[in-house]
Amino acid sequence: MSRPKVLVTRLLPEKPLDVLREQCAVDLYDKHDPMPRELLIDKVGKVDAVICLLTDGMDRGVIEKAYSVRAICDVSVGYNNVDIAAARERSIWVTNTPDVLTDATANLTWALILGITRRVAEGDRLIRRGGWTGFRFDFLLGSDLAGKRLGIIGMGRIGQAVARRALAFGMEIVYLPSSRKRRRGVSRFDDGLRATPLPFDELMRTSDIVALHCPLTPETHHLIDDRALSLMKETAYLINVARGPVVDEVALAKALRARRIAGAGLDVFENEPTVLADLLDLDNVVLLPHIGSATVETRTAMAQLAVDNCLAILNGKRPLTPVPELTDLPVYS
Ligand code: NAP
């Protein structure tokens, strides 16, 4: 019997790839850059499954060429790069990699929170350009966290992990319930977080730090726009470790330059890898190149989970972590 063919769109850690190669013929695009779209379209027509990254646009145009594909296994938890409706029409399973990256991403969120409130990157830059003239009592003063309010938008796995860490810093936690949860009347977490649900405007007005951990959807696109930023305190910080387009970057740069908010910590951007030029010369923003889940252990676990999902589907079993919209798809026999 011929082995199933799997397209892997990017160089992944060796161990998960070896596991995949034991059962499948692997067509690996062994580069660190995204596969060109024309090549992706050409290759998806010849395989049974695709293991891809968030930078691969698995849109309708690509999925319609995926004649024999049974599985699209994203190596990320956010799957806004995949057209889920188009996948459903062709009964293609789509899987993501939840949980295994929660701690790494929550830790990186805290690196940004501490980095911006204690001016870590600013101090580093100052020393490197020879600008440190000696200890001064009123120099590079930041903000404390104890007693302050952390407002979380996207109180899912990562949002809650960020909130758990906030308790150790003595912060009060508030969050925006998703519209689904608002509809279902779920209003409170009972896992010891003591988190209070708040409507959007009140959360924006009263939080000292607003942390974004929602998925990118039509509802969350530019959720943080000029109006939302204008609600924030002048002393407040915005942290985005979700997806770039959740924030209107032009509006954010304006608010930061005018000191209408105190600062921001960004791991994601609207047009990656391009970062809006207006952000680059601002000292009150910490910029990271989308490294939320970037640890050796986590990236290996993500790749392994994507491979496990792919093999499950190709072997006629349910995947371990299908995206919630497609859990009802039939198992291939
Ligand atoms: P998750 O467990 O699904 O959490 C997302 C939460 O956001 C859910 O509780 C969801 O509520 C809520 N939500 C959805 N729409 C909302 C809205 N309009 N307003 C308020 N809340 C809303 O996902 P996760 O594992 O925590 O990951 C969250 C996101 O982080 C991913 O989608 C991804 O884009 C991003 N991420 C980024 C990095 C990075 O490297 N920077 C790494 C990992 C993840 P419902 O469940 O009720 O819909």
Side-chain angles (χ1 to χ4, degrees), residues 12 22 69 139 151-152 165 180 194 202-203 226 237:
L12 295 178
E22 280 168 21
V69 164
F139 185 51
I152 296 185
R165 286 153 176 75
R180 268 197 315 161
R194 302 188 295 276
E202 194 179 344
L203 181 146
D226 203 34
Y237 300 87

Side-chain angles (χ1 to χ4, degrees), residues 97-110:
T97 59
D99 298 318
V100 292
L101 46 54
T102 296
D103 281 338
T105 311
N107 290 344
L108 196 277
T109 303
W110 274 96

Side-chain angles (χ1 to χ4, degrees), residues 54 76-80 96-99 101-102 105 108 152-160 176-182 184 189 212-217 219-220 223 240-243 267-268 290-294 299 302 324:
L54 55 92
S76 69
V77 70
Y79 49 93
N80 50 286
N96 63 346
T97 59
D99 298 318
L101 46 54
T102 296
T105 311
L108 196 277
I152 296 185
I153 296 182
M155 194 63 154
R157 290 169 290 245
I158 296 169
Q160 288 175 60
L176 176 71
S178 71
S179 47
R180 268 197 315 161
K181 294 206 170 92
R182 285 194 294 270
R184 279 193 248 120
F189 287 89
L212 305 175
H213 298 291
C214 52
L216 174 60
T217 63
E219 193 190 351
T220 62
L223 181 68
N240 188 7
V241 185
R243 286 286 183 263
D267 182 46
V268 287
H290 202 149
I291 54 170
S293 64
R299 286 285 163 87
M302 290 164 67

Side-chain angles (χ1 to χ4, degrees), residues 141-169:
L141 301 187
S143 307
D144 279 338
L145 295 171
K148 302 272 175 71
R149 176 174 279 192
L150 172 64
I152 296 185
I153 296 182
M155 194 63 154
R157 290 169 290 245
I158 296 169
Q160 288 175 60
V162 168
R164 276 194 291 279
R165 286 153 176 75
L167 294 178
F169 286 94

